[in-house]
Amino acid sequence: MNVDLKILDARLRENMPAYATPGSAGLDLRACIDAPITLEPGQWQLIPTGMAIYLKDPGYAAMILPRSGLGHKHGIVLGNLVGLIDSDYQGQLMVSAWNRSPTAFTLQPMDRLAQLVVVPVVQPTFNLVDEFEAVSERGEGGYGSTGKQ
Ligand SMILES: O=c1ccn([C@H]2C[C@H](O)[C@@H](COP(=O)(O)OP(=O)(O)OP(=O)(O)O)O2)c(=O)[nH]1
Ligand SMILES: [Mg+2]
């Protein structure tokens, strides 16, 4: 699959967005900020990534996810938990960086902050019904209905 990519911050040209390993699912997104930003405990801020993608095909979307190291060790996750990038979005990719930890965290310019995963998407047509087919073993059960063990 080929996706149009715009570089909006020239500093990315020295560090072009690339998959870190051949098997990487996520493409690291960098904090395209001019100076360090300190996120106090509980604080969040929208961080530009210096790049835009245009997926175009409604059969795809992209998701912005936390990096596991930053999230687990430093509590730097996303203010929207997951960022969903529509196939028709052409603007700059933005990361809502949220410090959910009790310790301040300083983000340096061009740090790898989050990651982008491109995923297939289905837009179904909906068939309006009054009752679903009674063939489902689960039925309306949920929220732990199958037990704990
Ligand atoms: O973490 C994110 C989430 C979204 N977006 C961009 C791409 C996405 O296609 C657009 C709209 O996102 P979403 O639909 O989640 O937000 P909304 O609050 O519903 O805004 P809109 O009314 O523009 O759809 O914002 C980002 O850059 N980063
Ligand atoms: Mg929306």
Side-chain angles (χ1 to χ4, degrees):
M1 184 202 182
N2 205 263
V3 173
D4 285 351
L5 167 74
K6 259 194 204 172
I7 298 295
L8 306 171
D9 186 311
R11 290 173 293 179
L12 279 183
R13 293 192 190 278
E14 286 128 52
N15 260 312
M16 284 294 276
Y19 290 98
T21 65
S24 292
L27 184 77
D28 286 333
L29 298 173
R30 292 180 185 272
C32 287
I33 49 180
D34 294 331
I37 288 178
T38 296
L39 291 171
E40 298 296 335
Q43 205 193 352
W44 64 94
Q45 196 164 321
L46 205 55
I47 307 291
T49 64
M51 59 182 270
I53 58 168
Y54 179 35
L55 291 166
K56 191 149 81 180
D57 182 341
Y60 294 96
M63 294 198 290
I64 296 178
L65 302 175
R67 291 186 68 202
S68 58
L70 279 181
H72 181 68
K73 294 185 193 148
H74 302 286
I76 301 301
V77 293
L78 306 174
N80 47 353
L81 303 189
V82 174
L84 182 61
I85 311 304
D86 298 288
S87 66
D88 53 359
Y89 181 69
Q90 295 183 321
Q92 177 164 204
L93 296 176
M94 303 293 290
V95 174
S96 173
W98 172 34
N99 181 1
R100 59 155 185 81
S101 85
T103 312
F105 180 84
T106 300
L107 193 60
Q108 300 295 336
M110 307 316 281
D111 272 359
R112 287 178 293 147
L113 170 63
Q115 53 187 330
L116 185 80
V117 179
V118 176
V119 292
V121 162
V122 175
Q123 280 181 343
T125 56
F126 291 95
N127 183 32
L128 200 57
V129 297
D130 290 323
E131 298 292 341
F132 293 124
E133 280 179 81
V135 294
S136 157
E137 189 178 322
R138 171 177 293 276
E140 295 184 1
Y143 310 98
S145 69
T146 60
K148 254 189 172 169
Q149 295 195 322

